[in-house]
Amino acid sequence: MPRSARAAARRVNDSAVLEIGARVGLGASGLVHLILAWLALQLAFGSGGQNADQTGALRQLAGTTLGQGLLWIAAGGFALLAVWQVTEALVRRGKDRLPPAARALVHAALAFVSLSVLLGSSGGGSQQARSLSARLMDRTVGVVAVGAVGLVILAVGAVQVWRAAQGSFRKQLRPDPPPWVVQLARIGLATRGLAIAAIGGLFLLAAVQHDPQKTGGLDTALHSLLGLPAGQVVVAAIAAGMACYGGYALARMRYGEF
């Protein structure tokens, strides 16, 4: 990248407006994960009515007038957080660009889904995944593609668990953060990584069995886990871990390094 372009990206990255927007985006992410934890907990104990995925969490947030206002703020925060991650990717070099680039895509998707929920045009994440998988698996190359997607999702989940174990998330925090923030990060990232890996496993299973109904998002993965021995305990533990990740995202509003 030309030096002038990198310098321009650095100036945008360092702007106070973008930093405030990124912190708002982190707060929105924390709130979504706390709602997601509550939905997963309801699912574990047989009282879940909403999809236990990010779309379901955003819909729950949009269920009240106050929630709709918060969701508009969240959509803007997610968008600015995505822009900040893009600038992070631009100012870095080599493979160090990949993590912020991937996070930019995730937060851009969350901004889009937030707006879709507000405008009433978003379908369930698991249903959309199954519909896309069904179209792909009409052909052999599609089966391979679904399997490849599963491997990528598994890798993403494994990276999350690795970050939790190695403590590399500390680079995103100010020096010497409180111990409770570090513990929230470890538990939250590890649990989130395992949940993501479960979604990847569903895609791989769908490819092996040629069954698009096996694919889906977090909601489908949690329903599948409920069918295992002690599945209720496993889903409840994931709910607790998601709550920890939500707390960590909220803590980064104050202790995050920008």
Side-chain angles (χ1 to χ4, degrees), residues 133-158:
S133 299
R135 291 196 295 270
L136 280 174
M137 293 177 70
D138 285 339
R139 300 182 179 182
T140 302
V141 67
V143 176
V144 175
V146 170
V149 169
L151 288 174
V152 170
I153 296 174
L154 269 174
V156 171

Side-chain angles (χ1 to χ4, degrees), residues 1 5-6 8-14 18 22 77-93 96-109 258:
M1 176 186 295
R6 183 174 284 109
R10 173 57 68 187
R11 286 195 297 272
V12 174
N13 183 267
D14 291 338
L18 199 58
F78 285 139
L80 288 173
L81 189 54
V83 172
W84 178 71
Q85 295 288 3
V86 168
T87 61
E88 278 286 294
L90 291 175
V91 298
R92 295 185 184 186
R93 299 177 185 273
D96 289 340
R97 291 179 175 177
L98 294 178
R103 288 192 290 268
L105 291 174
V106 170
H107 290 111
F258 291 90

Side-chain angles (χ1 to χ4, degrees), residues 200-253:
L202 288 177
F203 274 79
L204 283 176
L205 184 62
V208 171
Q209 297 184 353
H210 292 246
D211 183 3
Q213 294 302 313
K214 297 289 186 182
T215 61
L218 180 62
D219 183 63
T220 303
L222 292 177
H223 275 92
S224 298
L225 289 172
L226 276 176
L228 299 176
Q232 190 177 50
V233 175
V234 172
V235 173
I238 289 177
M242 287 293 182
C244 288
Y245 185 85
Y248 166 60
L250 291 172
R252 279 188 63 199
M253 291 181 71

